[in-house]
Amino acid sequence: QQTLGNMDWYQGTADAVRQCMRYVQSHNIDHFLILSGDHLYRMDYSRFIEYHRENDADLTIPVIAVEESAASSFGLLKTDATNSVVEFSEKPKGETLKAMAVDTMHLGLAEEEAKRRPYIASMGIYAFKSHVLQKILDENPQQKDFGKEIIPSAIEHLKVQAYLYKGYWEDIGTIRAFYDANMALVKFPTPSFSFYDATAPIYTRQRFLPPCRFMNSDIIESMISEGCIINKAVIRKSLVGIRSFVDEGAEIHESLLMGCDYYETQRKVTETVHSQIPMGIGKNCIIKKAIIDKNARIGRDVKIINKDGLDVDARHEEEGWYIRDGIVIILKDAVIPDGTII
């Protein structure tokens, strides 16, 4: 965000909240609930806030128990017998990481589960008393990030509680994490995270689109969004976004198609390279372990398969694609010519 008073973009999570406080200061607010936008989970916030209030905490942090292999990716904390946070370490490694291991049985885990997951990780979600948060942000303008600066300082001076969350939670802030979380949605027979929970449904933005149309296609363990046209294609363990068009003979395996913002027939067709290759997936394409961003135009006989098995390759962004974490990403509005092999 840039304003007349501050021309800098957000410098960190705490700085983002600091810059937005002007919009809520005039309201009569007792507590702030701060959430991250790149997480996938389903939490009953009312129970969390009730716990925060019952303990009269200045700050409450939801936590999960994690294995050692994943622990260094998180801010880790230690708690006492009352679940008060007594120590915090942001993404520790080596001996510092091992020193953060605790007996997580006191959080309510069974003995075997506690041995498997001996680390307490912050979920990056925070409940603050409003006056406490305002004071912290005002008195420490040099502190830009919650995990690196605000939380370690708060533990020394404030009452900080941990709240154990036992449900599904994933940080999807990287390409690999985003891809894996999406692929988990089509896991058969029971996905790790389900959109079909009647007690806590998740709604997409309301759209008025026609139903999907399938012509002699094979759809296996996949999710297809509204308004798609699938013509004699094979789609396996994939997610297909709204208004997607997949042409005859195409094969989509373990991939995510983000879809299109509009139907091309609704826009004027001009004599450009874009009009020669329509939006969507062309005939006889093979796509494996890829993310296809919105409005991409994939020509005929294209193979998006990471043929060289690369983990990272960012040299082709001008051509509309790159590889990150072994996954091929086709950029938004990219045009991939007929016969291309990636």
Side-chain angles (χ1 to χ4, degrees):
Q1 170 164 309
Q2 290 180 311
T3 66
L4 293 175
N6 189 341
M7 294 303 292
D8 292 328
W9 298 105
Y10 294 153
Q11 302 299 303
T13 52
D15 183 63
V17 173
R18 181 183 289 111
Q19 291 197 44
C20 288
M21 288 297 287
R22 72 189 71 188
Y23 303 117
V24 294
Q25 284 174 328
S26 61
H27 298 280
N28 184 22
I29 296 171
D30 294 324
H31 302 270
F32 284 108
L33 174 61
I34 301 173
L35 310 174
S36 294
D38 56 358
H39 297 166
L40 178 63
Y41 63 103
R42 180 187 278 109
M43 177 189 284
D44 185 340
Y45 294 124
S46 64
R47 294 183 181 180
F48 168 46
I49 295 300
E50 183 180 0
Y51 174 89
H52 169 69
R53 285 172 168 159
E54 285 177 349
N55 285 276
D56 193 30
D58 296 311
L59 162 62
T60 304
I61 306 172
V63 298
I64 56 172
V66 298
E67 303 174 9
E68 183 170 337
S69 60
S72 61
S73 299
F74 297 97
L76 302 181
L77 33 97
K78 290 183 178 180
T79 60
D80 62 18
T82 65
N83 286 339
S84 293
V85 179
V86 296
E87 188 176 344
F88 183 89
S89 181
E90 178 71 2
K91 299 181 179 179
K93 292 180 172 57
E95 292 303 316
T96 306
L97 170 62
K98 293 185 180 299
M100 294 301 294
V102 297
D103 182 1
T104 51
M105 285 185 65
H106 77 276
L107 292 176
L109 272 66
E111 183 176 358
E112 288 300 315
E113 192 67 11
K115 289 180 180 179
R116 188 175 70 85
R117 299 190 289 166
Y119 294 92
I120 304 175
S122 166
M123 292 173 61
I125 298 171
Y126 312 106
F128 277 95
K129 287 182 178 177
S130 58
H131 71 275
V132 171
L133 177 61
Q134 188 68 67
K135 183 178 180 180
I136 288 175
L137 296 177
D138 290 344
E139 294 182 354
N140 303 280
Q142 76 285 357
Q143 295 183 350
K144 310 295 185 182
D145 191 85
F146 280 111
K148 295 178 181 178
E149 299 163 313
I150 298 289
I151 303 306
S153 176
I155 291 171
E156 298 180 8
H157 309 289
L158 303 174
K159 183 177 182 180
V160 182
Q161 289 289 126
Y163 172 82
L164 180 66
Y165 177 68
K166 296 182 179 180
Y168 174 93
W169 178 86
E170 283 291 341
D171 184 330
I172 54 176
T174 66
I175 292 293
R176 168 55 69 177
F178 176 73
Y179 173 84
D180 288 345
N182 274 279
M183 292 302 103
L185 295 177
V186 294
K187 183 180 178 181
F188 182 83
T190 305
S192 303
F193 181 88
S194 175
F195 287 104
Y196 309 105
D197 186 341
T199 62
I202 291 179
Y203 299 103
T204 61
R205 180 172 63 83
Q206 187 176 21
R207 301 178 178 91
F208 297 97
L209 291 172
C212 293
R213 184 181 178 192
F214 305 104
M215 285 80 76
N216 299 327
S217 298
D218 291 330
I219 314 287
I220 303 102
E221 295 180 39
S222 298
M223 297 176 71
I224 312 295
S225 300
E226 310 99 293
C228 295
I229 300 174
I230 314 296
N231 179 29
K232 299 178 182 178
V234 175
I235 299 177
R236 184 186 299 272
K237 294 184 178 180
S238 297
L239 295 96
V240 180
I242 60 171
R243 303 185 188 91
S244 291
F245 174 70
V246 183
D247 210 346
E248 182 177 352
E251 296 184 18
I252 315 294
H253 300 272
E254 298 177 90
S255 295
L256 170 61
L257 279 59
M258 301 295 285
C260 300
D261 289 318
Y262 55 88
Y263 288 115
E264 195 158 32
T265 53
Q266 296 175 342
R267 294 172 70 94
K268 183 179 179 181
V269 177
T270 57
E271 293 300 324
T272 65
V273 65
H274 290 80
S275 65
Q276 295 170 22
I277 300 178
M279 281 197 305
I281 311 302
K283 288 186 177 181
N284 303 317
C285 288
I286 298 177
I287 299 175
K288 295 182 178 180
K289 293 187 177 181
I291 298 174
I292 314 296
D293 207 344
K294 284 186 173 183
N295 308 332
R297 301 168 185 273
I298 313 298
R300 300 185 178 197
D301 302 303
V302 171
K303 293 183 179 180
I304 302 174
I305 56 177
N306 192 3
K307 63 182 178 67
D308 296 323
L310 300 176
D311 187 56
V312 176
D313 187 350
R315 295 172 296 174
H316 301 277
E317 291 194 48
E318 292 184 0
E319 300 173 30
W321 63 273
Y322 65 93
I323 297 173
R324 185 72 49 83
D325 297 328
I327 301 160
V328 181
I329 295 97
I330 305 298
L331 302 179
K332 184 178 181 180
D333 298 317
V335 179
I336 308 298
D338 295 350
T340 300
I341 299 177
I342 299 175

